[in-house]
Amino acid sequence: MRTPHVVVVMGVAGTGKTTIGPLLAARLGVPYAEGDDFHPEANIVKMSAGTPLGDDDRWPWLDAIGAWAHGRAGFGGVVSCSALKRSYRDRLRAAAPGVVFVHLAGDRELIADRMAHRQGHFMPTALLDSQFAALQPLDADEAGVAVSVAGSPEEITDRAVKALDDLPDALR
């Protein structure tokens, strides 16, 4: 990327946000923040119990991520955040207007398989359907790119870097 942006690595649970985010940050030479760390404890408890979050649960979390992104404006950074709905991305953009999104995209079967094999994460595979139901892919007017999650983490990161480099200036 030509200038230091804050990149939000987004997508449904199990797409690899926590894996790709740090790899992308290292490639861009900027700090990484784990979006899950911004959740209030009540959200973690709710998701651990298999209950999907509602918008009222998400607003404080999104505001905390937006504040971090705002603080990194001009310096760059990468943060993971599901950012499933346009309204969530709009809220992040309201806090940090220059954010750029990398949507890690894949089919449900691949993502469910990855979720079934990961350990130590609070998000159960049972919530994947609610994540796909809520997902609103990036619109053409949103600064961002969609990147397939097929392949190794390094291949996904390479695709993300190239896609960000190829973004038209009007979407940066």
Side-chain angles (χ1 to χ4, degrees), residues 66-109:
W68 183 88
H70 178 80
R72 295 298 314 158
F75 301 104
V78 174
V79 61
S80 58
C81 173
S82 55
L84 298 177
K85 294 182 181 179
R86 171 76 187 240
S87 61
Y88 304 164
R89 297 187 298 271
D90 288 345
R91 193 162 184 129
L92 292 171
R93 274 191 294 273
V99 296
V100 176
F101 294 89
V102 171
H103 177 191
L104 299 179
D107 65 46
R108 190 196 181 291
E109 185 177 317

Side-chain angles (χ1 to χ4, degrees), residues 3 7 9 32 37 51 56 81 106 118-119 123 132 135 166:
T3 59
V7 176
V9 178
Y32 170 73
D37 293 343
T51 305
D56 288 340
C81 173
R118 71 182 182 180
Q119 297 179 10
M123 178 69 87
F132 271 105
L135 177 63
D166 291 346

Side-chain angles (χ1 to χ4, degrees), residues 123-167:
M123 178 69 87
T125 306
L127 290 182
L128 187 56
D129 288 335
S130 71
Q131 294 254 306
F132 271 105
L135 177 63
Q136 297 171 343
L138 291 169
D139 288 325
D141 67 329
E142 293 186 86
V145 296
V147 175
S148 168
V149 295
S152 72
E154 293 74 20
E155 291 168 331
I156 298 164
T157 303
D158 287 345
R159 283 194 297 273
V161 169
K162 179 167 181 1
L164 289 168
D165 283 343
D166 291 346
L167 260 179

